[in-house]
Amino acid sequence: MGLLDQISKAFLQEREGDFIKLEDSDDSSSGLGPAILLYNVPAGILDEELVDMLQDGAPNASKKGVTLQRIPDMKHPLLELTLEEALVKALDDQASSEAPSSTNSPIATPIIAPVNRGNPVLIFSGFANPEMMASYNIIAEEIFRENGGRAACAKAVPNALPKPLRQVVEEISGDHENALEMQGEPAE
């Protein structure tokens, strides 16, 4: 057992019941979407770049059309909704803004100046686990190159859907910071 495995095991034991293990072999997608809620992702990473990264990491989800929803800071109105309501709103907003002749490509969202507070958080919904992880790895690497931030990743799971999105983001951020500290890396 490696150091990372020991840290991970201790962390998960402390938070038993809060996490669902993602199986690499689970190719089924579940949940609303495909969609990604992108909290505090640097504005220097354009939506078009995210689309390209998703086409590489999640070709099946990309064929369906992935909804991207940026949440630049804790003042964003989506944070007042539950996770499920925020996902539905993001999907509805994309559907209502698409022209009838459009393809299944993601809709670009306006880029707002980044908030350099806390690590970025990516919340995936409607992705197969292998595609989610491949996409996360690609996007997280780009975030690190952009500003040195360590992105957190989560999958929208049934237990989290009724929670306020603000709470979900705060919990993911806090858990991510704890995990980084356990690895000896500074949290942002």
Side-chain angles (χ1 to χ4, degrees):
M1 182 181 282
L3 178 60
L4 186 57
D5 292 331
Q6 291 174 343
I7 292 170
S8 178
K9 184 177 178 184
F11 179 73
L12 290 175
Q13 283 177 340
E14 182 180 303
R15 300 290 307 274
E16 191 173 343
D18 285 353
F19 298 94
I20 295 174
K21 183 167 176 54
L22 298 177
E23 301 297 331
D24 290 335
S25 61
D26 184 2
D27 285 335
S28 64
S29 59
S30 61
L32 300 166
I36 306 175
L37 303 179
L38 304 139
Y39 172 75
N40 199 23
V41 170
I45 301 174
L46 304 177
D47 286 350
E48 293 76 17
E49 293 175 284
L50 289 167
V51 169
D52 289 342
M53 292 179 223
L54 289 168
Q55 288 172 340
D56 291 341
N60 293 325
S62 293
K63 288 176 189 169
K64 296 176 187 174
V66 177
T67 297
L68 303 175
Q69 177 63 58
R70 287 184 185 257
I71 302 170
D73 57 39
M74 282 296 191
K75 296 176 185 169
H76 196 280
L78 278 183
L79 292 166
E80 302 309 316
L81 304 175
T82 66
L83 174 56
E84 183 172 24
E85 292 167 340
L87 287 166
V88 167
K89 180 160 179 33
L91 291 163
D92 286 349
D93 287 352
Q94 175 181 332
S96 65
S97 66
E98 282 185 4
S101 62
S102 70
T103 62
N104 282 338
S105 62
I107 296 297
T109 54
I111 302 215
I112 300 168
V115 175
N116 293 321
R117 187 175 156 263
N119 287 304
V121 176
L122 310 176
I123 302 175
F124 290 80
S125 182
F127 282 74
N129 292 343
E131 285 197 350
M132 182 193 81
M133 292 309 300
S135 297
Y136 165 72
N137 288 330
I138 294 167
I139 296 169
E141 184 177 323
E142 187 62 29
I143 290 170
F144 184 77
R145 280 190 282 214
E146 181 77 18
N147 69 2
R150 302 281 186 183
C153 174
K155 185 171 188 174
V157 295
N159 292 350
L161 292 176
K163 290 183 179 182
L165 180 56
R166 178 181 310 281
Q167 178 185 342
V168 172
V169 169
E170 288 172 348
E171 287 175 358
I172 295 167
S173 295
D175 292 342
H176 187 66
E177 287 177 15
N178 290 342
L180 288 174
E181 288 171 4
M182 292 176 79
Q183 292 177 356
E185 294 185 35
E188 289 213 351

